[in-house]
Amino acid sequence: MIKAVYPGSFDPVTYGHLDIIKRASKVVDEVIVAILKNNSKNPLFTLEERVHMLEDTTEEFPNVKIQTFDGLTVDFARSVEAKVMIRGLRAVSDFESEMQIAQTNHSLDPDIDTMFFTTSLEYAFLSSTIVREVASYGSDVSNMVPAAVEKMLRKKYAR
Ligand code: ADP
């Protein structure tokens, strides 16, 4: 049984993340989407909001679970007995930092390996930062995030 952790900020979750979650859920037995609690990035959405939007948008995948964590990702993976980390690669620019993270994690715990999924072309440009930027000007993000997330973004920026 292969259990995998897909860590990230998910601020907010995008179609790019969901594409990775869906594809990973077909390859491994269980995917734990792990939302980082202690985010120095000062997130737009609270942890509870991010949990809610991920639960809502991954409902259709029975082997996907949502959890939160702080501290090192390898410690979280160990605590849930997962030996695989899932990460997405959008462009060459992601490669350097992702390789560094994967090698650090592997040196911290040699039992843990990282599995990379290359992004589907239609989502290659997508990031949570881009979504927040576009939504903050009141522009349409319906091709970037699910309707429920779009609604939450609209509420945030209406204030
Ligand atoms: P972090 O703050 O850890 O980078 P993110 O929520 O931004 O967290 O991303 C989590 C993971 O999802 C990362 O591996 C990132 O490369 C991947 N990811 C983000 N956007 C996309 C996308 N559009 N397509 C594929 N993977 C993506």
Side-chain angles (χ1 to χ4, degrees):
M1 153 121 186
I2 303 178
K3 210 189 242 193
V5 168
Y6 178 37
S9 317
F10 306 103
D11 186 36
V13 63
T14 68
Y15 280 138
H17 295 126
L18 291 170
D19 175 56
I20 300 291
I21 293 170
K22 182 180 175 180
R23 287 158 56 198
S25 74
K26 289 184 192 159
V27 175
V28 302
D29 299 292
E30 186 179 337
V31 178
I32 299 175
V33 180
I35 312 173
L36 188 61
K37 262 187 217 173
N38 242 351
N39 202 335
S40 52
K41 289 179 190 165
N42 190 21
L44 174 67
F45 289 100
T46 66
L47 193 62
E48 291 70 27
E49 286 171 326
R50 285 178 282 152
V51 169
H52 178 75
M53 60 173 77
L54 269 156
E55 279 177 351
D56 202 49
T57 51
T58 60
E59 227 172 26
E60 65 194 282
F61 312 118
N63 61 339
V64 173
K65 287 195 185 127
I66 315 302
Q67 290 197 26
T68 63
F69 78 105
D70 54 13
L72 288 174
T73 320
V74 283
D75 290 335
F76 174 75
R78 229 182 263 134
S79 75
V80 294
E81 294 176 333
K83 300 215 184 304
V84 175
M85 304 266 192
I86 307 278
R87 296 290 285 177
L89 284 178
R90 281 162 292 196
V92 180
S93 51
D94 277 344
F95 186 79
E96 208 170 298
S97 61
E98 289 295 340
M99 192 163 82
Q100 193 177 24
I101 295 169
Q103 287 171 337
T104 304
N105 287 339
H106 189 69
S107 78
L108 290 171
D109 188 337
D111 283 339
I112 289 185
D113 269 301
T114 303
M115 195 185 271
F116 289 105
F117 285 80
T118 51
T119 187
S120 299
L121 277 181
E122 68 261 49
Y123 305 129
F125 70 97
L126 249 189
S127 71
S128 298
T129 309
I130 291 282
V131 168
R132 290 195 304 270
E133 176 91 7
V134 174
S136 73
Y137 292 105
S139 272
D140 182 19
V141 288
S142 58
N143 61 340
M144 304 180 192
V145 297
V149 176
E150 196 189 355
K151 202 171 150 193
M152 289 170 82
L153 278 163
R154 233 183 281 123
K155 245 192 226 167
K156 276 279 173 203
Y157 288 116
R159 276 182 211 141

